[in-house]
Short mmCIF file of all heavy atoms in Angstrom, two decimals:
data_model
loop_
_atom_site.label_atom_id
_atom_site.label_comp_id
_atom_site.label_asym_id
_atom_site.label_seq_id
_atom_site.Cartn_x
_atom_site.Cartn_y
_atom_site.Cartn_z
N VAL A 1 1.84 17.19 5.64
CA VAL A 1 2.85 16.96 6.69
C VAL A 1 2.56 15.63 7.39
O VAL A 1 3.49 14.86 7.70
CB VAL A 1 2.84 18.11 7.70
CG1 VAL A 1 3.78 17.81 8.86
CG2 VAL A 1 3.24 19.41 7.03
N PHE A 2 1.29 15.34 7.63
CA PHE A 2 0.92 14.09 8.29
C PHE A 2 1.36 12.89 7.46
O PHE A 2 1.93 11.92 8.00
CB PHE A 2 -0.59 14.04 8.50
CG PHE A 2 -1.09 12.73 9.06
CD1 PHE A 2 -0.92 12.42 10.40
CD2 PHE A 2 -1.72 11.81 8.23
CE1 PHE A 2 -1.37 11.21 10.91
CE2 PHE A 2 -2.17 10.60 8.73
CZ PHE A 2 -2.00 10.30 10.07
N LYS A 3 1.14 12.94 6.14
CA LYS A 3 1.50 11.80 5.30
C LYS A 3 3.00 11.63 5.23
O LYS A 3 3.51 10.50 5.26
CB LYS A 3 0.92 11.98 3.90
CG LYS A 3 1.00 10.73 3.04
CD LYS A 3 0.14 10.83 1.81
CE LYS A 3 0.12 9.51 1.05
NZ LYS A 3 -0.76 9.57 -0.15
N ARG A 4 3.74 12.72 5.13
CA ARG A 4 5.20 12.61 5.10
C ARG A 4 5.72 12.06 6.42
O ARG A 4 6.64 11.23 6.44
CB ARG A 4 5.82 13.97 4.81
CG ARG A 4 5.55 14.49 3.40
CD ARG A 4 6.52 15.62 3.03
NE ARG A 4 6.44 16.74 3.95
CZ ARG A 4 5.63 17.79 3.78
NH1 ARG A 4 4.81 17.83 2.74
NH2 ARG A 4 5.62 18.79 4.64
N SER A 5 5.14 12.52 7.52
CA SER A 5 5.60 12.07 8.84
C SER A 5 5.31 10.59 9.05
O SER A 5 6.18 9.84 9.51
CB SER A 5 4.93 12.89 9.94
OG SER A 5 5.21 14.26 9.80
N THR A 6 4.11 10.15 8.70
CA THR A 6 3.76 8.73 8.86
C THR A 6 4.60 7.85 7.95
O THR A 6 4.94 6.72 8.32
CB THR A 6 2.27 8.50 8.60
OG1 THR A 6 1.91 9.04 7.31
CG2 THR A 6 1.43 9.17 9.67
N ALA A 7 4.96 8.36 6.77
CA ALA A 7 5.81 7.58 5.86
C ALA A 7 7.19 7.37 6.47
O ALA A 7 7.75 6.26 6.41
CB ALA A 7 5.93 8.28 4.51
N ARG A 8 7.75 8.42 7.08
CA ARG A 8 9.06 8.28 7.73
C ARG A 8 9.00 7.27 8.87
O ARG A 8 9.90 6.45 9.06
CB ARG A 8 9.55 9.64 8.22
CG ARG A 8 10.06 10.55 7.13
CD ARG A 8 10.83 11.72 7.71
NE ARG A 8 9.96 12.62 8.46
CZ ARG A 8 9.35 13.67 7.95
NH1 ARG A 8 9.50 13.96 6.67
NH2 ARG A 8 8.59 14.45 8.71
N VAL A 9 7.91 7.36 9.67
CA VAL A 9 7.76 6.41 10.78
C VAL A 9 7.63 4.98 10.25
O VAL A 9 8.22 4.05 10.80
CB VAL A 9 6.52 6.80 11.63
CG1 VAL A 9 6.22 5.71 12.65
CG2 VAL A 9 6.75 8.13 12.32
N TYR A 10 6.88 4.81 9.18
CA TYR A 10 6.67 3.47 8.60
C TYR A 10 8.00 2.85 8.18
O TYR A 10 8.31 1.70 8.55
CB TYR A 10 5.73 3.58 7.40
CG TYR A 10 5.59 2.30 6.60
CD1 TYR A 10 4.71 1.31 7.00
CD2 TYR A 10 6.34 2.10 5.45
CE1 TYR A 10 4.58 0.13 6.28
CE2 TYR A 10 6.22 0.93 4.72
CZ TYR A 10 5.34 -0.05 5.13
OH TYR A 10 5.22 -1.21 4.41
N TYR A 11 8.80 3.58 7.40
CA TYR A 11 10.06 3.01 6.92
C TYR A 11 11.06 2.81 8.06
O TYR A 11 11.83 1.85 8.05
CB TYR A 11 10.66 3.90 5.82
CG TYR A 11 9.91 3.78 4.51
CD1 TYR A 11 9.10 4.80 4.05
CD2 TYR A 11 10.01 2.63 3.75
CE1 TYR A 11 8.41 4.69 2.85
CE2 TYR A 11 9.33 2.50 2.55
CZ TYR A 11 8.53 3.53 2.11
OH TYR A 11 7.85 3.41 0.93
N ALA A 12 11.05 3.71 9.05
CA ALA A 12 11.92 3.52 10.21
C ALA A 12 11.52 2.26 10.98
O ALA A 12 12.38 1.49 11.43
CB ALA A 12 11.86 4.74 11.12
N LEU A 13 10.21 2.03 11.13
CA LEU A 13 9.73 0.84 11.81
C LEU A 13 10.12 -0.42 11.06
O LEU A 13 10.56 -1.41 11.66
CB LEU A 13 8.21 0.92 11.97
CG LEU A 13 7.51 -0.30 12.61
CD1 LEU A 13 8.01 -0.51 14.03
CD2 LEU A 13 6.00 -0.11 12.59
N MET A 14 9.99 -0.40 9.74
CA MET A 14 10.34 -1.58 8.95
C MET A 14 11.84 -1.89 9.07
O MET A 14 12.23 -3.05 9.18
CB MET A 14 9.97 -1.36 7.49
CG MET A 14 8.47 -1.30 7.21
SD MET A 14 7.57 -2.77 7.77
CE MET A 14 6.81 -2.14 9.28
N ARG A 15 12.67 -0.84 9.07
CA ARG A 15 14.11 -1.08 9.23
C ARG A 15 14.41 -1.65 10.61
O ARG A 15 15.24 -2.55 10.76
CB ARG A 15 14.88 0.22 9.02
CG ARG A 15 14.98 0.67 7.59
CD ARG A 15 16.05 1.73 7.43
NE ARG A 15 15.79 2.88 8.28
CZ ARG A 15 15.05 3.93 7.93
NH1 ARG A 15 14.52 3.97 6.73
NH2 ARG A 15 14.87 4.95 8.77
N ALA A 16 13.74 -1.13 11.64
CA ALA A 16 13.98 -1.61 13.00
C ALA A 16 13.59 -3.07 13.16
O ALA A 16 14.21 -3.81 13.94
CB ALA A 16 13.20 -0.75 14.00
N LEU A 17 12.58 -3.51 12.41
CA LEU A 17 12.12 -4.90 12.50
C LEU A 17 12.85 -5.82 11.54
O LEU A 17 12.51 -7.00 11.42
CB LEU A 17 10.61 -4.96 12.23
CG LEU A 17 9.72 -4.27 13.27
CD1 LEU A 17 8.26 -4.34 12.85
CD2 LEU A 17 9.90 -4.90 14.65
N GLY A 18 13.83 -5.27 10.82
CA GLY A 18 14.60 -6.11 9.90
C GLY A 18 13.91 -6.38 8.59
O GLY A 18 14.28 -7.30 7.87
N ALA A 19 12.89 -5.56 8.25
CA ALA A 19 12.16 -5.77 7.00
C ALA A 19 12.51 -4.68 5.99
O ALA A 19 11.73 -4.38 5.10
CB ALA A 19 10.66 -5.77 7.26
N GLY A 20 13.69 -4.09 6.16
CA GLY A 20 14.10 -3.04 5.23
C GLY A 20 14.58 -3.64 3.92
O GLY A 20 14.39 -4.81 3.62
N GLY A 21 15.25 -2.82 3.14
CA GLY A 21 15.76 -3.27 1.84
C GLY A 21 15.37 -2.31 0.74
O GLY A 21 16.18 -2.02 -0.15
N ALA A 22 14.15 -1.82 0.79
CA ALA A 22 13.73 -0.83 -0.19
C ALA A 22 14.21 0.54 0.24
O ALA A 22 14.28 0.85 1.43
CB ALA A 22 12.21 -0.82 -0.32
N PRO A 23 14.56 1.41 -0.72
CA PRO A 23 14.96 2.77 -0.35
C PRO A 23 13.80 3.50 0.32
O PRO A 23 12.64 3.23 0.04
CB PRO A 23 15.32 3.40 -1.70
CG PRO A 23 15.50 2.26 -2.65
CD PRO A 23 14.61 1.16 -2.16
N ASP A 24 14.14 4.43 1.22
CA ASP A 24 13.10 5.27 1.79
C ASP A 24 12.40 6.05 0.69
O ASP A 24 13.02 6.43 -0.31
CB ASP A 24 13.72 6.24 2.80
CG ASP A 24 14.08 5.55 4.11
OD1 ASP A 24 13.84 4.34 4.22
OD2 ASP A 24 14.63 6.23 5.00
N ASP A 25 11.12 6.31 0.88
CA ASP A 25 10.31 7.06 -0.08
C ASP A 25 10.18 6.33 -1.42
O ASP A 25 9.94 6.97 -2.45
CB ASP A 25 10.88 8.47 -0.30
CG ASP A 25 10.73 9.35 0.92
OD1 ASP A 25 9.68 9.26 1.58
OD2 ASP A 25 11.67 10.10 1.23
N ALA A 26 10.34 5.01 -1.39
CA ALA A 26 10.06 4.20 -2.57
C ALA A 26 8.76 3.45 -2.29
O ALA A 26 8.72 2.55 -1.46
CB ALA A 26 11.19 3.21 -2.84
N GLY A 27 7.69 3.84 -2.96
CA GLY A 27 6.40 3.21 -2.74
C GLY A 27 6.18 2.03 -3.68
O GLY A 27 7.00 1.11 -3.76
N ASP A 28 5.09 2.08 -4.44
CA ASP A 28 4.77 0.98 -5.36
C ASP A 28 5.03 1.35 -6.81
O ASP A 28 4.51 0.70 -7.72
CB ASP A 28 3.31 0.56 -5.18
CG ASP A 28 3.09 -0.20 -3.88
OD1 ASP A 28 3.87 -1.13 -3.61
OD2 ASP A 28 2.17 0.14 -3.12
N TYR A 29 5.81 2.38 -7.03
CA TYR A 29 6.20 2.76 -8.39
C TYR A 29 7.56 2.14 -8.67
O TYR A 29 8.58 2.60 -8.18
CB TYR A 29 6.26 4.28 -8.50
CG TYR A 29 6.40 4.82 -9.91
CD1 TYR A 29 6.05 4.07 -11.02
CD2 TYR A 29 6.87 6.12 -10.11
CE1 TYR A 29 6.16 4.58 -12.30
CE2 TYR A 29 6.98 6.65 -11.39
CZ TYR A 29 6.63 5.88 -12.48
OH TYR A 29 6.73 6.40 -13.75
N ARG A 30 7.57 1.07 -9.46
CA ARG A 30 8.81 0.36 -9.74
C ARG A 30 8.72 -0.37 -11.06
O ARG A 30 7.62 -0.64 -11.57
CB ARG A 30 9.13 -0.64 -8.62
CG ARG A 30 8.20 -1.83 -8.59
CD ARG A 30 8.50 -2.77 -7.45
NE ARG A 30 8.12 -2.22 -6.18
CZ ARG A 30 6.87 -2.27 -5.70
NH1 ARG A 30 5.91 -2.84 -6.40
NH2 ARG A 30 6.58 -1.75 -4.53
N LEU A 31 9.86 -0.71 -11.60
CA LEU A 31 9.96 -1.56 -12.79
C LEU A 31 10.63 -2.85 -12.40
O LEU A 31 11.62 -2.85 -11.66
CB LEU A 31 10.74 -0.84 -13.89
CG LEU A 31 10.97 -1.64 -15.18
CD1 LEU A 31 10.84 -0.74 -16.41
CD2 LEU A 31 12.35 -2.31 -15.20
N MET A 32 10.09 -3.98 -12.90
CA MET A 32 10.63 -5.29 -12.55
C MET A 32 10.84 -6.13 -13.81
O MET A 32 10.07 -6.02 -14.78
CB MET A 32 9.66 -6.04 -11.62
CG MET A 32 9.48 -5.39 -10.26
SD MET A 32 8.19 -6.21 -9.28
CE MET A 32 6.72 -5.57 -10.11
N SER A 33 11.86 -6.95 -13.79
CA SER A 33 12.09 -7.89 -14.89
C SER A 33 11.09 -9.02 -14.82
O SER A 33 10.43 -9.25 -13.79
CB SER A 33 13.51 -8.44 -14.81
OG SER A 33 13.66 -9.26 -13.65
N ARG A 34 11.00 -9.78 -15.91
CA ARG A 34 10.10 -10.93 -15.92
C ARG A 34 10.49 -11.93 -14.84
O ARG A 34 9.62 -12.52 -14.17
CB ARG A 34 10.16 -11.58 -17.32
CG ARG A 34 9.51 -12.95 -17.45
CD ARG A 34 8.11 -13.05 -16.95
NE ARG A 34 7.23 -12.01 -17.46
CZ ARG A 34 5.99 -11.82 -17.06
NH1 ARG A 34 5.49 -12.59 -16.08
NH2 ARG A 34 5.26 -10.86 -17.56
N ALA A 35 11.80 -12.11 -14.60
CA ALA A 35 12.24 -13.05 -13.57
C ALA A 35 11.75 -12.62 -12.19
O ALA A 35 11.33 -13.44 -11.38
CB ALA A 35 13.77 -13.15 -13.57
N THR A 36 11.78 -11.30 -11.93
CA THR A 36 11.30 -10.80 -10.64
C THR A 36 9.80 -11.02 -10.49
O THR A 36 9.33 -11.45 -9.43
CB THR A 36 11.62 -9.30 -10.51
OG1 THR A 36 13.01 -9.08 -10.77
CG2 THR A 36 11.28 -8.78 -9.13
N VAL A 37 9.06 -10.72 -11.54
CA VAL A 37 7.60 -10.89 -11.49
C VAL A 37 7.23 -12.35 -11.26
O VAL A 37 6.34 -12.66 -10.46
CB VAL A 37 6.96 -10.36 -12.79
CG1 VAL A 37 5.47 -10.68 -12.83
CG2 VAL A 37 7.17 -8.85 -12.90
N GLU A 38 7.91 -13.25 -11.95
CA GLU A 38 7.62 -14.67 -11.75
C GLU A 38 7.94 -15.11 -10.33
O GLU A 38 7.23 -15.93 -9.74
CB GLU A 38 8.42 -15.51 -12.75
CG GLU A 38 8.06 -15.29 -14.22
CD GLU A 38 6.67 -15.78 -14.56
OE1 GLU A 38 6.03 -16.45 -13.72
OE2 GLU A 38 6.19 -15.49 -15.67
N ALA A 39 9.01 -14.55 -9.76
CA ALA A 39 9.36 -14.89 -8.38
C ALA A 39 8.29 -14.39 -7.42
O ALA A 39 7.92 -15.09 -6.47
CB ALA A 39 10.73 -14.30 -8.03
N VAL A 40 7.78 -13.18 -7.64
CA VAL A 40 6.72 -12.64 -6.78
C VAL A 40 5.46 -13.48 -6.91
O VAL A 40 4.81 -13.83 -5.91
CB VAL A 40 6.43 -11.17 -7.16
CG1 VAL A 40 5.18 -10.67 -6.42
CG2 VAL A 40 7.62 -10.29 -6.81
N ASN A 41 5.10 -13.83 -8.15
CA ASN A 41 3.88 -14.60 -8.37
C ASN A 41 3.95 -16.00 -7.76
O ASN A 41 2.92 -16.60 -7.44
CB ASN A 41 3.60 -14.73 -9.87
CG ASN A 41 3.18 -13.40 -10.49
OD1 ASN A 41 2.75 -12.49 -9.80
ND2 ASN A 41 3.33 -13.29 -11.80
N ALA A 42 5.17 -16.52 -7.59
CA ALA A 42 5.34 -17.86 -7.05
C ALA A 42 5.25 -17.90 -5.53
O ALA A 42 5.13 -18.98 -4.94
CB ALA A 42 6.69 -18.44 -7.48
N LEU A 43 5.26 -16.74 -4.88
CA LEU A 43 5.19 -16.72 -3.42
C LEU A 43 3.82 -17.18 -2.95
O LEU A 43 2.80 -16.81 -3.52
CB LEU A 43 5.47 -15.31 -2.91
CG LEU A 43 6.88 -14.76 -3.17
CD1 LEU A 43 6.97 -13.30 -2.74
CD2 LEU A 43 7.92 -15.59 -2.43
N PRO A 44 3.76 -17.98 -1.89
CA PRO A 44 2.48 -18.53 -1.44
C PRO A 44 1.65 -17.59 -0.58
O PRO A 44 0.46 -17.82 -0.39
CB PRO A 44 2.91 -19.75 -0.61
CG PRO A 44 4.25 -19.39 -0.08
CD PRO A 44 4.91 -18.55 -1.15
N GLU A 45 2.24 -16.53 -0.05
CA GLU A 45 1.52 -15.67 0.88
C GLU A 45 0.43 -14.88 0.16
O GLU A 45 0.56 -14.51 -1.01
CB GLU A 45 2.48 -14.72 1.58
CG GLU A 45 3.25 -13.79 0.65
CD GLU A 45 4.32 -13.03 1.40
OE1 GLU A 45 3.98 -12.12 2.16
OE2 GLU A 45 5.51 -13.36 1.20
N ASP A 46 -0.66 -14.62 0.89
CA ASP A 46 -1.82 -13.94 0.31
C ASP A 46 -1.78 -12.43 0.54
O ASP A 46 -1.91 -11.66 -0.39
CB ASP A 46 -3.11 -14.53 0.90
CG ASP A 46 -3.30 -15.99 0.50
OD1 ASP A 46 -2.97 -16.32 -0.64
OD2 ASP A 46 -3.76 -16.78 1.35
N HIS A 47 -1.62 -12.00 1.78
CA HIS A 47 -1.68 -10.58 2.10
C HIS A 47 -0.29 -9.96 1.96
O HIS A 47 0.26 -9.42 2.91
CB HIS A 47 -2.23 -10.38 3.51
CG HIS A 47 -3.59 -10.97 3.71
ND1 HIS A 47 -4.72 -10.39 3.18
CD2 HIS A 47 -3.99 -12.10 4.34
CE1 HIS A 47 -5.78 -11.13 3.49
NE2 HIS A 47 -5.36 -12.16 4.19
#
């Protein structure tokens, strides 16, 4: 229950701050095209 509750709070907070875009309850399980991967790899940010 704690993990589900904190997940809801996390995604609600991200939407409130304008950092939404991903569906709720979508973690790091995803499939990406080569173009998407290259775009991610080209980003300069570290964390």
Side-chain angles (χ1 to χ4, degrees):
V1 175
F2 174 76
K3 192 166 186 178
R4 292 197 301 270
S5 301
T6 53
R8 285 194 293 269
V9 171
Y10 172 83
Y11 286 108
L13 177 62
M14 292 303 103
R15 286 195 303 271
L17 294 177
D24 285 359
D25 291 321
D28 287 312
Y29 191 21
R30 71 182 71 83
L31 177 141
M32 295 173 284
S33 67
R34 168 52 50 186
T36 307
V37 173
E38 295 292 351
V40 171
N41 291 340
L43 295 174
E45 60 188 287
D46 295 322
H47 302 286

